[in-house]
Amino acid sequence: KQAYAQLFFLAMTLQLLNDGSLKCRVKAADVIASLVRRVSKELLSEQFLQFGLKWMGSLDNSEGSDSSASSRSLVIAGVQVCSLLVQHRADIMKRQAATLFLLARTALLRYLHCRPADLLLEAPRKEVGEEEQVEVAQEKAEEEGIAGSGEGADWAVLYQVLLLLERCLTHLGPAAELACVDPGDLSSDTSPPPLMLLVLEALLFPHAWVRAVCCRLLLLYLSQRDVTRLTSDAISASNLPSFELLTRPNGLYQLGRRLCVCLSQAGQATGALVEAASAAAVFTVRAMFRQTE
């Protein structure tokens, strides 16, 4: 019964990535979802999942070509496959949460075009007025050719990676919570920094869709925390090293500052972005009032 599963999986993945019709892409995703629900755990783990992880991590082995359309498309294909697996086979994907988040952080760092050292909360930053902040990001994007439209543009990679992370936090439970606060190696210029530092940077990305999914991801992160403790139950019980944005020096300030930038650009934002950014800003302000420092 599963002899042709891989054949259909690859065909539908190509359709999902390349078809110009939204309706066809939705149907292709439905077929893939049906496949992953029906195949055995062995086939899913040994083939479907390995395809997704390999494609998603292809940028690691593509020095000098990460800005090409083919490299972006391959990463997007891997992200979309992993996203469908997370949504429909969370029982398998919970064991892959750490790998997924590491690949996602690597992709975010690459396509945000920033260095880990620039993302540290303690790093000196040039103060820019709220009305100028996104305009500066837009100019930088245009200079580097990352503000275009279409499936091959860098914003599309960022958008799909952030959607994957949103689904991970929605479906994978404590495994995703722990992976979300993995501190990585903060002293390394090559290791991807903690996820929430990358999310903070993405809040200033010029494309409104990227900022919108960032705000939704932040809401999921904040919903697992209480304003009085600023950490989740799963993380408190784990006793593992973690990077907790809200308890770091300048963490609440930098979060609130970027949310204000999003809200100040309301003319460019969707209603969903404004709603999510407002809810996150309310939590941030309440947390600030409860801190002694």
Side-chain angles (χ1 to χ4, degrees):
K1 293 181 179 179
Q2 302 186 70
Y4 299 103
Q6 181 177 326
L7 176 64
F8 282 107
F9 171 77
L10 292 173
M12 290 300 100
T13 300
L14 289 173
Q15 204 73 19
L16 174 64
L17 185 65
N18 298 317
D19 202 293
S21 168
L22 175 60
K23 290 183 178 180
C24 286
R25 294 199 300 272
V26 170
K27 293 299 182 181
D30 289 342
V31 173
I32 295 173
S34 179
L35 278 174
V36 301
R37 285 195 298 264
R38 294 167 183 264
V39 299
S40 66
K41 291 184 177 181
E42 292 74 18
L43 181 60
L44 185 75
S45 301
E46 296 173 7
Q47 295 189 31
F48 291 9
L49 175 59
Q50 295 309 312
F51 278 128
L53 294 177
K54 183 176 181 179
W55 294 336
M56 187 175 171
S58 62
L59 54 87
D60 289 341
N61 300 315
S62 55
E63 292 295 332
S65 63
D66 56 279
S67 61
S68 68
S70 59
S71 177
R72 286 190 298 253
S73 296
L74 197 57
V75 174
I76 289 174
V79 171
Q80 289 181 319
V81 166
C82 289
S83 187
L84 288 169
L85 293 176
V86 166
Q87 184 176 5
H88 298 287
R89 292 299 295 268
D91 57 320
I92 299 293
M93 299 305 290
K94 285 179 181 179
R95 295 192 290 270
Q96 300 295 328
T99 301
L100 285 175
F101 274 76
L102 178 59
L103 290 172
R105 286 158 49 203
T106 303
L108 289 174
L109 181 66
R110 182 71 61 90
Y111 290 100
L112 282 170
H113 300 274
C114 55
R115 299 179 307 155
D118 296 333
L119 301 178
L120 296 179
L121 297 174
E122 299 81 6
R125 292 178 178 272
K126 180 181 179 181
E127 292 296 326
V128 182
E130 290 181 358
E131 295 299 325
E132 300 173 357
Q133 196 80 315
V134 174
E135 294 175 8
V136 170
Q138 180 70 53
E139 291 173 2
K140 179 181 177 182
E142 290 173 353
E143 289 173 1
E144 298 180 352
I146 62 173
S149 59
E151 291 298 318
D154 280 9
W155 72 263
V157 183
L158 295 171
Y159 179 71
Q160 293 294 340
V161 171
L162 291 165
L163 279 180
L164 167 62
L165 293 171
E166 183 183 23
R167 284 187 174 178
C168 285
L169 287 179
T170 301
H171 296 284
L172 301 188
E177 288 184 50
L178 295 174
C180 181
V181 296
D182 179 9
D185 185 356
L186 293 172
S187 63
S188 172
D189 275 340
T190 56
S191 175
L195 174 65
M196 297 315 297
L197 291 182
L198 292 160
V199 172
L200 282 185
E201 188 69 15
L203 278 173
L204 300 181
F205 197 79
H207 202 291
W209 288 11
V210 173
R211 301 201 304 275
V213 72
C214 265
C215 289
R216 297 203 308 269
L217 184 59
L218 270 172
L219 273 183
L220 284 173
Y221 174 82
L222 297 176
S223 69
Q224 297 162 350
R225 285 148 179 80
D226 184 88
V227 292
T228 59
R229 291 191 298 118
L230 302 182
T231 187
S232 73
D233 293 336
I235 295 166
S236 298
S238 70
N239 293 320
L240 294 173
S242 63
F243 180 92
E244 197 57 80
L245 172 69
L246 304 180
T247 60
R248 291 275 170 159
N250 296 326
L252 286 170
Y253 164 72
Q254 294 290 0
L255 174 58
R257 182 169 177 263
R258 282 160 176 73
L259 289 170
C260 288
V261 171
C262 284
L263 291 171
S264 73
Q265 301 292 326
Q268 306 173 16
T270 62
L273 191 160
V274 173
E275 182 178 350
S278 299
V282 169
F283 181 99
T284 304
V285 171
R286 291 177 61 203
M288 284 179 173
F289 272 112
R290 284 167 173 77
Q291 301 309 304
T292 57
E293 298 182 1

